[in-house]
Amino acid sequence: MSSSIYMKVLESQPERYDRGITLLSLGAADRARRRLVDDLVEPGMRVLEIGCGTGALTVLAARRGAEVVAFDVSDPMLAMARRKVVDAGVSDRVHLEHEGVSGMDAFEDESFDLVAATLVFSELSSDERVWALRHSCRVLRPAGRLGLVDEVTPESLGEKLVHGAVRLPLLLVTFALTQTTTQPVDGLSRLVAEAGFRVETEERTALGSLLYLVAAKETTE
Ligand SMILES: C[S@@+](CC[C@H](N)C(=O)[O-])C[C@H]1O[C@@H](n2cnc3c(N)ncnc32)[C@H](O)[C@@H]1O
C-alpha cells in the first residue's frame, strides 16, 4: 500500500491525516487498527500506545474500556488526538504525552497489559526499533501482549512489482515535499523475538504490504 510514503505528507497536515490514510490504504489501516483492538483489548486493561498520531487507536481502545497512555513526538498530531479523545468522551481513560520512543525508559516495569504501535516502526531508525521493543517488553506484565501494524515489503514477485511501481513516484514526491522518507520495516518479527517476545500471529494484507503482528512477552517459568 506504500502508505508510509504518503504518511509523511499527511502528518504535516493532521486534519487530513485520517481521511488520507483511509483513502490511500483503501481502508486497510482502519481495519487493522480495529482488528488489533477487537483481538487484544479488554475493559480495564492498561494500554501503552507508541506514536499515537491523531489518536485513532487510542480512542478505539478507550471506548473498549481500556486505560490508555499514548505518546507521540508530533505536537500537531497530538493536538488532533486530544480533540478526538474529548469528542469521543473518553478523556478520563486517556493520558496523552508529548514524548519520543527515546523516552520509553521512563515508563515503569510491568505496568501495562498491551503495547500497541500502528504505522510507527517504519518511521523509526533501526536503533529506535530495538530500543522501543526492548522497553515494550520491559513495561509489559508477564504474558502481556505486543500488537504491531506496519508497512512491509511484499514477498511475492507480483506484489513486489506492483508495490515498487507505486512506491517510487511516491518516494520522490514525499522527499520533495518533506525532505524525509520512510522504509518498510522488514525483519520485524525477528527483532520482536530478539526483544523477548513469542510471535503468535503474523499476517499480511493490502497486497502483502501491511503486516499485522501479535506477540506475547516470554515468561521464564
Ligand atoms: C504514520 S503515523 C501513525 C500514527 C498512528 N499510530 C496511526 O495508526 O495512524 C506515525 C506517527 O509516529 C510518530 N513518530 C515518529 N517517530 C516517532 C518517535 N521517535 N517517537 C514517537 N513517535 C514517533 C509520528 O509523529 C506520527 O504521529
Side-chain angles (χ1 to χ4, degrees):
M1 84 168 173
S2 287
S3 58
S4 64
I5 300 303
Y6 296 103
M7 282 170 206
K8 297 308 293 182
V9 179
L10 292 169
E11 282 168 30
S12 59
Q13 305 167 321
E15 64 290 345
R16 296 192 193 155
Y17 174 86
D18 290 334
R19 225 172 329 144
I21 290 295
T22 299
L23 188 68
L24 297 166
S25 71
L26 299 175
D30 296 321
R31 283 192 293 279
R33 286 192 210 97
R34 270 199 304 273
R35 178 180 173 190
L36 198 155
V37 170
D38 287 348
D39 288 355
L40 302 177
V41 178
E42 285 168 23
M45 261 188 175
R46 272 180 55 78
V47 176
L48 177 65
E49 187 183 1
I50 301 171
C52 61
T54 60
L57 185 130
T58 305
V59 166
L60 289 175
R63 278 197 172 131
R64 177 59 66 98
E67 279 179 41
V68 186
V69 176
F71 69 89
D72 200 288
V73 280
S74 161
D75 274 327
M77 295 291 262
L78 275 175
M80 184 62 65
R82 257 181 217 109
R83 280 206 284 283
K84 280 165 66 171
V85 164
V86 170
D87 290 350
V90 291
S91 313
D92 57 330
R93 288 198 292 283
V94 175
H95 178 69
L96 294 170
E97 288 186 20
H98 182 266
E99 188 56 84
V101 156
S102 57
M104 283 183 74
D105 53 346
F107 294 111
E108 273 180 39
D109 289 2
E110 302 192 355
S111 54
F112 292 97
D113 303 291
L114 172 69
V115 176
T118 59
L119 311 175
V120 178
F121 273 71
S122 49
E123 297 202 0
L124 303 180
S125 68
S126 48
D127 285 351
E128 283 178 319
R129 288 173 191 167
V130 171
W131 174 267
L133 289 171
R134 185 175 127 205
H135 286 284
S136 296
C137 194
R138 181 185 60 75
V139 303
L140 279 170
R141 297 191 174 121
R145 290 264 182 55
L146 173 73
L148 302 179
V149 172
D150 226 310
E151 187 186 11
V152 288
T153 307
E155 285 171 327
S156 83
L157 182 61
E159 289 173 341
K160 257 192 193 125
L161 288 173
V162 176
H163 185 253
V166 175
R167 186 177 164 85
L168 182 61
L170 291 173
L171 203 76
L172 296 174
V173 170
T174 306
F175 191 78
L177 286 171
T178 66
Q179 285 73 59
T180 54
T181 188
T182 57
Q183 290 297 327
V185 58
D186 295 318
L188 193 53
S189 56
R190 181 182 46 80
L191 285 184
V192 166
E194 284 171 4
F197 292 96
R198 178 172 31 85
V199 175
E200 295 181 325
T201 307
E202 193 183 355
E203 287 174 23
R204 287 162 177 257
T205 56
L207 270 178
S209 69
L210 193 67
L211 176 73
Y212 178 86
L213 187 148
V214 176
K217 177 171 176 168
E218 288 278 19
T219 48
T220 41
E221 308 104 59

